Amino acid sequence: IFNTLSAIFTKAVEWELLIKNPMLGVTKPKIPKKKITVYENDQLHAFLHHLQDAPPQWRMFFLFLLETGARSSEAVGMTWEKVNYIKNEIEISGSVIHEEETKLKDTKNEKERLIAVSPEFAQALRSWEIDLGKMRDKAGELWGETRRFLFPNLTTGKPLHPASPRKWLDKFVKKHNLEKITPHGFRHLHASYLLLKNVPNKIVSERLGHSSTRITTDIYGHVTREADRQAAVQMRNIYSIEKVLGK
């Protein structure tokens, strides 16, 4: 709101409707940072345990979020031609929004990005593509969508409504008495675990599609500090301070 009002009054000054922008003397309010919910190891293992019995599409969807760090809307908009089985890479170049109807748009920062995935996950995707092809053949004429989405409506082939993953996830965690998490939480999981494993901030930033490493640092600064503390502890595996000091 602050930025919008400031822009409006600035334009009014340019058009000589106002002498001075009244927002110039107003201090921009600080927006409190949202608390990031990230599963601990035991919570993630519990989630994955129950996910084994979930419908195949949702199993693959949430593994996709965990493996790639993609936004939920980006996963919903993914098509098969963006998957490279030879290089084990995925190109993320769009997402899905709903404005009167569900449609595709560019990624948040309008930049494409390539994400490497493990050979095992690439093979899992290949198997899912085969299974999805069988579902498409079974649906027949009802499957009217020509674009080949990774996670489509299984009756029509059209992209899912962008709110569908969250609705399903809410019911799933409640059913299994799991800690509440949003689809976006798996993006945070992806980044947090990589940073704790000392993957360079630049690499994590590129995988997430952030426009700069500063954004990654601002969001996950607490994780990198924890990684730094772990690095300090690991120094004990290199040498014994007591032995050097003769104690």
Side-chain angles (χ1 to χ4, degrees), residues 1 9 17 22 34 66 93 102 109 117 129 165 171 243:
I1 295 175
F9 288 130
L17 297 175
K34 293 182 179 179
L66 186 61
S93 57
T102 302
N109 61 6
V117 296
E129 184 179 12
K171 294 178 181 177
K243 186 174 181 179

Side-chain angles (χ1 to χ4, degrees), residues 22-92:
M23 296 296 291
L24 293 178
V26 179
T27 302
K28 185 174 181 178
K30 292 184 178 180
I31 301 175
K33 291 184 178 180
K34 293 182 179 179
K35 183 179 179 181
I36 298 175
T37 300
V38 177
Y39 274 170
E40 300 292 341
N41 277 338
D42 57 340
Q43 293 173 317
L44 177 59
H45 290 156
F47 176 88
L48 295 175
H49 171 74
H50 291 294
L51 193 66
Q52 295 177 44
D53 299 322
Q57 180 172 20
W58 292 117
R59 283 206 309 264
M60 283 306 304
F61 184 88
F62 287 101
L63 287 178
F64 184 91
L65 297 187
L66 186 61
E67 180 87 12
T68 66
R71 300 175 179 90
S72 179
S73 59
E74 292 172 337
V76 170
M78 274 291 299
T79 52
W80 286 108
E81 60 266 23
K82 303 295 184 181
V83 180
N84 187 324
Y85 292 121
I86 297 176
K87 295 183 177 180
N88 293 332
E89 289 180 342
I90 291 171
E91 178 186 311
I92 295 181

Side-chain angles (χ1 to χ4, degrees), residues 72-126:
S72 179
S73 59
E74 292 172 337
V76 170
M78 274 291 299
T79 52
W80 286 108
E81 60 266 23
K82 303 295 184 181
V83 180
N84 187 324
Y85 292 121
I86 297 176
K87 295 183 177 180
N88 293 332
E89 289 180 342
I90 291 171
E91 178 186 311
I92 295 181
S93 57
S95 60
V96 166
I97 59 172
H98 187 82
E99 295 176 347
E100 296 185 356
E101 63 178 359
T102 302
K103 57 184 180 181
L104 294 174
K105 73 176 188 70
D106 292 333
T107 55
K108 188 174 181 179
N109 61 6
E110 299 182 351
K111 289 174 62 178
E112 298 176 354
R113 65 187 189 275
L114 283 176
I115 296 176
V117 296
S118 66
E120 294 81 4
F121 185 71
Q123 183 56 49
L125 278 177
R126 187 187 289 273

